[in-house]
Amino acid sequence: MGDRQFWDDKFARRGNQPLPPEKALVEHVACFKKGSVLDIACGDGRNSLFLLERGFQVTGIDFSREALKRLEMFARQRNHLVATRQVDLNEPDALADLGTFDNIVINHYRLNKESLARLHSLVSDEGILFVCGFGHAHRHDPTIRPEDLIHPSDIDDVLSHFRLLTYLEEENEIGSIVTYIFCKEKGEK
């Protein structure tokens, strides 16, 4: 979906307000475990800000420095503290040394299967993994590459450590959106 320069330029041109949070996140935030959230590929923080306002401690990671600067600015404007870290998710060990979180949000980013399979080590017992993005049934769209679409097989390895709580598939004005909400089984390592 573009290289670092593409995303830095895109975020530099955005207005002075973040986009609204993901609809499915707003509708299902009640199932999140109280505590911390790792927002993977957070962009300029539309979901991070929503979660901060609900009392979560948020760490946002993205490979766009411009996006992270905007998230930090938006959080400051709202009197919130947010931790940020510039991370290239294409690197094999991108998620190493991040710590453990009560919840993980991955929104409109297709994390590779290897990283998805390792997420269980970053989530506390009974923590939530929220994955939302363009689904495998998304119609042709020149801005969304086929390799950016989330396929059911992407989550095969996730199911060995997490229980699926909710699966949603929705067609809206931007296309076919899928949402998976998982809970980490107690005692899973």
Side-chain angles (χ1 to χ4, degrees):
M1 287 181 62
D3 63 10
R4 189 176 310 207
Q5 190 61 52
F6 169 85
W7 286 105
D8 280 344
D9 292 346
K10 183 174 179 142
F11 284 112
R13 289 190 306 271
R14 279 206 177 155
N16 292 328
Q17 293 296 318
L19 297 172
E22 185 66 38
K23 179 181 151 213
L25 179 68
V26 172
E27 292 172 351
H28 293 90
V29 71
C31 72
F32 277 45
K33 183 177 178 181
K34 292 293 181 210
S36 60
V37 177
L38 175 62
D39 189 354
I40 295 177
C42 64
D44 62 358
R46 67 189 190 124
N47 295 316
S48 292
L49 295 167
F50 171 79
L51 293 163
L52 285 166
E53 290 166 357
R54 273 134 196 92
F56 292 95
Q57 298 93 43
V58 178
T59 298
I61 63 171
D62 201 281
F63 79 154
S64 169
R65 183 70 224 145
E66 189 63 35
L68 295 172
K69 287 188 330 193
R70 287 174 54 86
L71 168 53
E72 292 162 359
M73 176 191 68
F74 293 141
R76 256 191 326 277
Q77 288 172 348
R78 291 162 174 79
N79 296 315
H80 293 294
L81 291 174
V82 64
T84 60
R85 186 164 164 187
Q86 189 172 12
V87 173
D88 184 345
L89 294 167
N90 294 312
E91 296 294 324
D93 61 347
L95 300 176
D97 303 322
L98 290 175
T100 303
F101 299 86
D102 296 309
N103 308 279
I104 293 180
V105 170
I106 308 170
N107 192 62
H108 288 276
Y109 182 80
R110 184 183 185 201
L111 193 62
N112 64 61
K113 278 187 82 151
E114 296 78 20
S115 293
L116 273 171
R118 291 188 207 121
L119 286 180
H120 65 91
S121 66
L122 301 176
V123 179
S124 64
D125 281 351
E126 300 178 342
I128 297 297
L129 171 59
F130 175 93
V131 179
C132 181
F134 292 105
H136 62 282
H138 185 69
R139 67 187 179 282
H140 175 72
D141 177 345
T143 63
I144 307 299
R145 303 173 308 179
E147 58 267 30
D148 296 324
L149 303 179
I150 299 170
H151 295 267
S153 61
D154 291 346
I155 56 100
D156 289 346
D157 293 330
V158 172
L159 291 171
S160 61
H161 299 281
F162 290 86
R163 176 174 37 94
L164 181 63
L165 298 178
T166 302
Y167 173 75
L168 305 166
E169 195 168 334
E170 167 185 24
E171 208 43 60
N172 64 28
E173 66 279 353
I174 64 169
S176 174
I177 304 295
V178 295
T179 303
Y180 294 89
I181 303 173
F182 302 96
C183 181
K184 183 177 176 184
E185 298 292 353
K186 193 170 186 169
E188 281 289 330
K189 300 290 179 212

